[in-house]
Amino acid sequence: MRGAHRPFTRRGLLTGTLGSAALLAGGGTLTGCGTPAAQQTEEGCVSEDLSGAERTLAFSNWPQYMDVDPDDESKRPSLDGFVSRTGIQVTYAEDINDNNEFFGKVQNQLAACQSTGRDIMVLTDWMAARMIRLGWIQKLDKSKLPNVEANLLPSLRNRPFDTADQYAIPWQSGLAGLAYNGRVTGEIRTVDELLTRPDLKGRVTALSEMRDTMGLLLMSNGHDPTDFTAAQFDDALNKLRRAVDSGQIRRFTGNDYAPDLAKGDIAACVGWSGDIIQLGFEDERIKFVVPESGVLLWSDNLLVPNRAGHKANAEELINYYYDPAVAAQLAAYVNYICPVQGAQAELEKIDPELAANPLIFPDEAMLAKAKVFMALDEPQEREYETKFQQVIGA
């Protein structure tokens, strides 16, 4: 039943109900009113930690992003193990369905230095970067995170938006790269093939997530997506525009490309590793490809918001999930890239086939070709998103 538990993917929800227009409206402003979001500082917004007296924790996560007992869906084995080990009672809510939508839920409280009622929440890199930039996230105490210090993958350390690894700790990660259906086309190895090969004309989709599609195009032009100029972005965007104007790209999608790829209605695409793992369980001829020029690495991150009343308890939970045995238990269920070194050996005891999957445990060669998209400031975010949306016709 691997894969049957997840009818959608985490990345597929990034372009959810609010879509690109909400991203532009919400890029550092209070959505819907145009008022600049209030910047906070560590000195100006002080949080009181009640963990010593209150052994509780409120945890907000995405749906289907926690292991569940197949015989009793009310049980979450790894989370139940944390409660048993620490005595910390966890209120667990699957109330994050879209990064922008969640931003709208919490922005008024965080802008006013008020509690959201949450001690820990899981958000994607670019939204984590925005909240860190706004001063809405508490700095973690690394002395309480020895497992993170020991076991966080090197490729996920010192990311552009959190260079000292003190605000955002990866929960799960994934790759944006290429995918193809071997029933209807030959192997794809490069972004340029995807965008120009005559036999693929009109049978290609790309992602409406700007960072993933443009990151791949930047790399295909020899530019570094972790550190690029506006001219380099425009260079890559012109390449994308040519593929759109020529009819090479059929459309831009969230994860709704997956059924079309499975049926062979599209032959190849820009896609996410989590989707392709699931499709590959059903048809081994559907393949994920790390382009020769490189692949985009993204994460959903554990964050402690300002005025969270149980920061030390949250740090205990973060440290717990960086125990390789616990991380393996989670990875066996969610099937994303596990950010924890040592978890692969533990997963071999649970499911050797999953442990050997390079899209859950990438090898060093794959990780060496992985880049994290550059952290954008607010003007850059608006400029690049606007230009991208104009090309894709959103």
Side-chain angles (χ1 to χ4, degrees), residues 2 280-281 344 347-348 350-358 360-361:
R2 277 203 311 272
F281 288 148
Q344 185 171 18
L347 187 55
E348 287 175 354
I350 302 171
D351 189 326
E353 182 183 351
L354 275 182
N357 192 318
I360 299 176
F361 295 100

Side-chain angles (χ1 to χ4, degrees), residues 97-160:
N97 292 299
D98 176 278
N99 282 284
N100 283 298
E101 181 182 59
F102 188 77
F103 184 87
K105 285 182 183 179
V106 300
Q107 62 181 342
N108 290 338
Q109 294 100 317
L110 290 174
C113 187
Q114 297 172 354
S115 172
T116 66
R118 300 168 175 87
D119 297 301
I120 197 163
M121 54 195 190
V122 179
L123 295 171
T124 306
D125 289 332
W126 59 269
M127 181 57 76
R130 183 190 297 177
M131 289 198 173
I132 293 168
R133 188 173 71 224
L134 288 166
W136 292 358
I137 304 300
Q138 293 192 55
K139 187 182 298 184
L140 300 170
D141 182 348
K142 289 191 173 185
S143 71
K144 296 181 179 178
L145 302 172
N147 288 342
V148 177
E149 289 292 286
N151 300 326
L152 176 60
L153 286 176
S155 57
L156 291 170
R157 296 179 187 267
N158 308 314
R159 293 172 295 167

